[in-house]
């Protein structure tokens, strides 16, 4: 499978390492920080740079950047995607990203699914990326409203190299409500405490 990864921070870098470790995939990646991409090449986590030309070859595209950047990238690159490409964003919020992703996928014919890996560390950046970061971790999936069991099976199969323990399906609104109370509120309280 040709796997494109946009963003090589902790999450994108860990995805790159997981897919490379699996040994059956060609990993293409891009990052606005050229040094992160160079580091990924040195670490042998990436085979090639993700460009407009190689983007057309992707079977799976993972958007591992901030929400506004994910929307901007997808808006710009949607016309280049193959109709067989599965696009999954890995952002921490879903409503805004999924709204844009579902609309663009309908317009251009590729498949978009929202995703949020419930894993991480207190560190950020490619140098802290690990192939086993997602092993056993939950992954929240936000499929389009008209999805079927085949799509969920396709997502599960595509993400197998990451090693998620459980995939949960929800809506974008429910996801953002749950995350606001379980994660973002905890960050606000801890920052206020400090």
């Amino acid at each position: 499978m040709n796997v494109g990864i946009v963003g090589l921070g902790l999450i994108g870098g860990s995805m790159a390492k997981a897919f490379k470790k699996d040994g059956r995939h060609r990993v293409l990646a891009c990052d606005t920080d050229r040094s992160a991409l160079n580091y990924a090449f040195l670490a042998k986590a990436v085979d090639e740079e993700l460009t407009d030309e190689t983007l057309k070859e992707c079977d799976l595209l993972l958007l591992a950047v901030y929400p506004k950047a994910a929307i901007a990238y997808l808006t710009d690159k949607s016309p280049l995607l193959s109709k067989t490409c599965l696009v999954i964003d890995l952002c921490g919020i879903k409503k805004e990203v999924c709204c844009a992703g579902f609309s663009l996928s309908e317009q251009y014919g590729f498949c978009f699914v929202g995703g949020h890996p419930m894993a991480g560390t207190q560190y950020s950046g490619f140098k802290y990326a690990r192939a086993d970061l997602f092993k056993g971790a939950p992954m929240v999936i936000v499929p389009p409203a008209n999805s079927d069991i085949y799509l969920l099976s396709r997502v599960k199969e595509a993400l197998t190299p990451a090693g998620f323990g459980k995939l949960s399906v929800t809506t974008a609104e429910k996801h953002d409500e749950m995350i606001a109370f379980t994660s973002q509120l905890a960050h606000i309280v801890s920052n206020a405490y400090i």
Side-chain angles (χ1 to χ4, degrees):
M1 181 166 56
N2 292 319
V3 181
I5 301 174
V6 179
L8 287 169
L10 177 68
I11 300 299
S14 293
M15 282 292 186
K17 287 182 175 186
F19 277 89
K20 279 304 293 176
K21 185 177 180 184
D22 185 70
R24 298 175 294 154
H25 310 285
R26 176 176 163 227
V27 178
L28 308 115
C30 64
D31 195 291
T32 55
D33 179 0
R34 187 69 200 190
S35 65
L37 183 60
N38 290 340
Y39 192 14
F41 280 128
L42 286 173
K44 298 192 184 322
V46 172
D47 296 303
E48 294 175 50
E49 185 170 358
L50 182 63
T51 65
D52 286 355
E53 284 306 309
T54 58
L55 182 63
K56 298 171 186 175
E57 303 168 20
C58 289
D59 303 299
L60 173 65
L61 179 65
L62 302 171
L63 304 174
V65 291
Y66 290 116
K68 287 192 185 318
I71 293 167
Y73 184 89
L74 200 53
T75 300
D76 186 42
K77 305 299 183 184
S78 284
L80 304 176
L81 293 170
S82 161
K83 292 192 182 334
T84 59
C85 186
L86 171 62
V87 178
I88 304 174
D89 86 273
L90 304 175
C91 301
I93 62 164
K94 296 274 73 82
K95 189 172 180 184
E96 188 178 351
V97 179
C98 286
C99 183
F102 295 148
S103 175
L104 289 164
S105 69
E106 195 171 303
Q107 182 179 353
Y108 292 100
F110 61 88
C111 182
F112 176 85
V113 174
H116 185 184
M118 305 305 287
T121 70
Q122 69 272 34
Y123 304 109
S124 62
F126 183 83
K127 73 178 185 175
Y128 296 107
R130 302 186 335 243
D132 65 349
L133 181 69
F134 309 109
K135 189 163 181 62
M139 173 69 161
V140 178
I141 298 295
V142 179
N146 61 348
S147 65
D148 57 20
I149 197 71
Y150 169 74
L151 175 60
L152 299 178
S153 176
R154 182 180 174 200
V155 170
K156 184 176 181 180
E157 176 70 24
L159 293 175
T160 297
F164 289 106
K166 176 181 160 189
L167 267 63
S168 301
V169 178
T170 189
T171 64
E173 293 80 11
K174 200 71 170 162
H175 168 275
D176 290 353
E177 181 183 315
M178 177 184 66
I179 293 301
F181 287 106
T182 60
S183 179
Q184 293 165 350
L185 182 61
H187 284 291
I188 292 169
V189 171
S190 65
N191 283 331
Y193 180 73
I194 289 171

